[in-house]
Amino acid sequence: MNPLNVEYPSPNTSEIPAEPALRVEGLTKRFHPSMPPVVDNLSFAVAPGEIFALLGPSGCGKTTALRLIAGFERPDRGQVWLGQENLTHRPPEKRGIGFVFQDYALFPHLSVFDNVAFGLRSLSPSARRQRVEEVLGLVGLTVFKDRRPHELSGGQQQRVALARAIAPGPKVVLLDEPFSSLDAGLRQVTRDEVRELLKRSGIGAVLVTHDQEEALSFAERLAVMRAGSLEQIGTPEEVYTRPLTPFVAQFLGRTNLIPGEARGIEAETPLGLLRLAEGAVGPVLLSLRPEGFVLEPGGEAVVLSREFKGHDLTYRVRLDGRDYVVQADPHCPCRPGDRVRLEVRDPAVVVGRRGGEV
Ligand SMILES: Nc1ncnc2c1ncn2[C@@H]1O[C@H](COP(=O)(O)OP(=O)(O)OP(=O)(O)O)[C@@H](O)[C@H]1O
């Protein structure tokens, strides 16, 4: 049921890389015949060395999508390609794809060295030793090679898991919420280290996360998933500044959804005539980020609440019976109860076309 009676545009898949490393086509998976598919006709492509993220709320099918790509689950329909090779019916160990699990899944009884060597059993002992030392050097864990996983910090264990995944030289690694069990400070540092490592080694990656900030800062391109399907694909900037649907606009940070009547590059709205990022005609639903406003003391609007966040302030402001979330600089003197003027600085983005009243 769509209470706003809004039509959603289809995801922007136009920027599929010319020669992708990984290509997923129409992947579909249903666990129960009476339930909708958990992954529904999923298609995307990852360029060689590209860092890609699948972002979506809990339960939208991200992990299942990753497990289908890795071969831990069989799709009902669809295909997985690595370069020119169709992997769809290959077992996981023959796919040439690395996998880093959410809980690292290291072998507790094996040393760091043996954990990393695990996927290299086909190599001769001397080639295996050389490769493990090379990869441990790359992730900066050479001095810990004789330790067991429980003798390492969470961030170090994460790097062992990554080393084990990249040791066999995959073209792509799949990362399933790999930072979620680290505390906030360590998460940021480990994330930066892993990103830098992936870029240095030229391995493409697909990161699964429900954390929009993580996806925006880690990925070069990301796909927003909702209920098993892709809602939008693009660079972090594109998806944040030009969301195609109300869901994407709201999932990637806070926004204001405003009904309007578009007339080309402008729309008539309860906030007056607003400039549009792209021309449109007719009844539309617009997204305007909190940072798209300027707040001035004195005016018709009333400040309802003030949320101080250090680097900025977020206000909830009421005008003509509608509430808006507005960001201001931390020196803004406005307080709850104050009268203010809401000026719109940024163009509004059309996120849907309305077929009925809003
Ligand atoms: N093996 C399975 N059998 C039955 N249902 C499953 C199975 N695996 C996953 N599901 C269901 O599929 C849906 C999607 O699960 P999935 O783990 O892919 O979501 P997710 O987006 O990764 O969520 P989260 O962020 O919470 O990990 C959920 O409703 C889940 O209960």
Side-chain angles (χ1 to χ4, degrees), residues 249-301:
Q250 288 176 303
F251 194 68
L252 284 161
R254 289 168 128 178
T255 201
N256 296 282
L257 294 178
I258 303 163
E261 185 71 28
R263 294 197 299 262
I265 55 160
E266 289 177 328
E268 192 59 60
T269 76
L271 283 171
L273 207 54
L274 293 188
R275 197 158 46 94
L276 298 181
E278 243 171 71
V281 174
V284 286
L285 188 66
L286 304 171
S287 163
L288 194 57
R289 296 278 182 207
E291 61 270 26
F293 291 90
V294 179
L295 207 61
E296 304 275 354
E300 293 298 307

Side-chain angles (χ1 to χ4, degrees), residues 102-104 106 141 149-161 178-179 181-183 186-187 190:
Q102 189 167 357
D103 58 359
Y104 320 143
L106 297 173
L141 287 175
H150 73 271
E151 296 169 317
L152 299 175
S153 72
Q156 289 161 343
Q157 290 183 41
Q158 184 52 263
R159 279 189 279 154
V160 178
F179 313 114
S181 51
L182 304 174
D183 65 50
L186 192 57
R187 194 181 312 152
T190 311

Side-chain angles (χ1 to χ4, degrees), residues 5-142:
N5 198 11
V6 169
E7 274 176 37
Y8 303 128
S10 54
N12 171 15
T13 49
S14 58
E15 288 191 43
I16 288 179
E19 286 182 27
L22 175 73
R23 191 155 47 92
V24 165
E25 273 182 15
L27 269 192
T28 301
K29 178 74 181 176
R30 196 189 284 269
F31 285 112
H32 298 289
S34 59
M35 301 284 280
V38 165
V39 171
D40 193 2
N41 200 18
L42 191 70
S43 299
F44 65 86
V46 180
E50 182 181 34
I51 299 184
F52 190 85
L54 276 178
L55 171 69
S58 183
C60 75
K62 307 179 294 292
T63 295
T64 304
L66 220 55
R67 291 174 59 80
L68 288 166
I69 298 169
F72 300 133
E73 300 284 356
R74 278 176 173 275
D76 300 331
R77 266 187 288 122
Q79 297 182 335
V80 178
W81 290 77
L82 195 67
Q84 302 299 316
E85 290 179 79
N86 185 345
L87 304 184
T88 316
H89 302 294
R90 267 196 219 169
E93 66 280 7
K94 300 236 164 78
R95 293 198 172 202
I97 291 180
F99 202 102
V100 176
F101 296 88
Q102 189 167 357
D103 58 359
Y104 320 143
L106 297 173
F107 300 112
H109 58 290
L110 295 184
S111 66
V112 166
F113 186 98
D114 289 335
N115 263 284
V116 177
F118 186 79
L120 303 174
R121 281 157 299 173
S122 59
L123 298 185
S124 69
S126 67
R128 194 184 319 153
R129 173 164 293 277
Q130 192 186 340
R131 178 64 184 153
V132 173
E133 289 188 345
E134 203 176 283
V135 176
L136 286 178
L138 190 69
V139 300
L141 287 175
T142 306

